[in-house]
Amino acid sequence: MRILTGVKPTGNGMHLGNYLGMYKPFMEVAKWKEAFLFLPDFHSLTSVHDPEIMNRNKKRLAAELFALMPEDITVTIFEQSKMTHINDMTWILSSVTPYSLMLRAHSFKDSQTKNSDINMAVFNYPILMTADIIGYDVDIVPVGKDQKQHLEFSRDIAQNFNKTYGVDFFKLPEPYIEKTVELIPGTDGRKMSKSYDNFIGIFDDEKILKKKIMSIETGSESLEEAKNPDICNVFNLIHFFASSQKEQEIRAKYLAGNYGYGHAKLELLDILLKYFTPAREKYDIFMSNYDVIQEKLNEGNKKANALLTEKYLKMKELVGL
Ligand code: TRP
């Protein structure tokens, strides 16, 4: 059993929503399966055209992924752009991908409504993503709900290839959509997401972290009044990160009154700092000595590249090249 997912370097870094909705569940599964996590940096080219920003975003995300990785788990982390044949495979796959299928992609339709002219990488995005998955014989792909259609495309394209050449060559990947993501509130109470700009970054400066937490929207009851923890965005986050004993304690304080939202926020800050301090410390070390990370990535690249190359060479033969 092999699982794989890609985390696009965007520059904002990992936030609490990514962590609970994607990273943590992925690491749980990684205990039992062969797991791959990669940086789809070719995909980032759809929107990032500044080499310095590209590089900075990638470094930051790689250091974050390694800093958060539990010690007892081995996940292969690699860089998409270091795969020798990923685009060759994408090209062959594009020759069995109907144009009409591509026209149905939400991702491309959404960016088309935002921009008057999109680049071809945005249009071809799902074919590269297909190669990312089926090129390594992946069984399960944990993704957010927004990627569900891309996974369907991967299955369709894999099937098209198998049918066209009369072979059972590519495995059809199964998506795994984690439900928790929907439940993690951002600072405005909506689902925590980069696109809403309501996220709380795990590796942000303590000052920024505090500012973000203090900006979480809450009710407007007076300090004295009793408060309902179950409808409070602050308490909702406390629930995910505090020990159950701590959670019960804070719940009691909400219900008793004389406990303000400001108190709860400071408590949340404290809980988050405790929870993430080991990872934050590791992150600082990695960022000041990035060679360590690059070496780990090189190892991952070697392993992933060997798998993809083997698959690609067979594929090339199958098509008669
Ligand atoms: N499209 C994904 C996103 O925007 C990133 C991605 C690229 C990916 N290739 C992938 C995710 C392969 C899972 C598997 O989040």
Side-chain angles (χ1 to χ4, degrees), residues 101-113 122 126 145-150 152-153:
L101 176 73
M102 298 300 285
L103 285 177
R104 290 208 301 270
H106 302 313
S107 53
F108 137 73
K109 285 197 281 190
D110 289 351
S111 29
Q112 210 182 22
T113 52
V122 173
K145 220 165 79 186
D146 61 325
Q147 298 296 314
K148 194 165 172 254
Q149 193 198 31
H150 283 152
E152 285 159 10
F153 277 34

Side-chain angles (χ1 to χ4, degrees), residues 76-218:
T76 302
I77 303 186
F78 68 95
E79 300 161 273
Q80 182 188 42
S81 63
K82 296 285 162 43
M83 302 300 105
T84 331
H85 294 297
I86 189 74
N87 283 311
D88 299 337
M89 185 175 270
T90 303
W91 182 260
I92 299 183
L93 289 174
S94 71
S95 74
V96 294
T97 304
Y99 175 62
S100 59
L101 176 73
M102 298 300 285
L103 285 177
R104 290 208 301 270
H106 302 313
S107 53
F108 137 73
K109 285 197 281 190
D110 289 351
S111 29
Q112 210 182 22
T113 52
K114 279 183 214 141
N115 307 302
S116 55
D117 197 1
I118 57 151
N119 60 60
M120 281 306 291
V122 173
F123 189 68
N124 291 328
Y125 192 109
I127 314 179
L128 175 58
M129 181 157 165
T130 299
D132 285 338
I133 297 167
I134 66 177
Y136 307 92
D137 291 325
V138 168
D139 301 282
I140 298 169
V141 186
V143 282
K145 220 165 79 186
D146 61 325
Q147 298 296 314
K148 194 165 172 254
Q149 193 198 31
H150 283 152
L151 257 290
E152 285 159 10
F153 277 34
S154 300
R155 293 172 61 91
D156 283 353
I157 297 170
Q159 242 163 345
N160 280 353
F161 184 90
N162 290 348
K163 230 168 61 200
T164 305
Y165 292 97
V167 287
D168 186 15
F169 183 65
F170 284 118
K171 267 193 188 173
L172 305 190
E174 292 289 341
Y176 172 75
I177 317 263
E178 173 70 34
K179 300 277 189 311
T180 328
V181 196
E182 305 297 314
L183 307 173
I184 303 152
T187 51
D188 59 358
R190 288 187 292 176
K191 171 191 153 187
M192 190 178 290
S193 157
K194 272 171 196 146
S195 42
Y196 296 149
D197 197 18
N198 64 356
F199 58 90
I200 299 173
I202 297 173
F203 295 93
D204 281 340
D205 227 57
E206 207 171 311
K207 263 199 214 136
I208 298 177
L209 197 58
K210 184 168 177 184
K211 209 171 127 202
K212 287 263 176 95
I213 290 173
M214 289 325 227
S215 77
I216 299 176
E217 288 176 24
T218 60

Side-chain angles (χ1 to χ4, degrees), residues 54-64 287 290 293:
M54 175 67 87
N55 205 265
R56 186 167 5 108
N57 291 355
K58 258 188 80 176
K59 277 189 168 168
R60 175 172 181 175
L61 181 62
E64 291 186 352
M287 283 309 266
Y290 192 74
I293 294 298

Side-chain angles (χ1 to χ4, degrees), residues 239-253:
H239 158 75
F240 283 113
F241 293 100
S243 67
S244 56
Q245 192 197 343
K246 187 86 195 164
E247 184 185 341
Q248 289 317 316
E249 263 173 50
I250 299 176
R251 171 180 288 280
K253 291 189 202 168

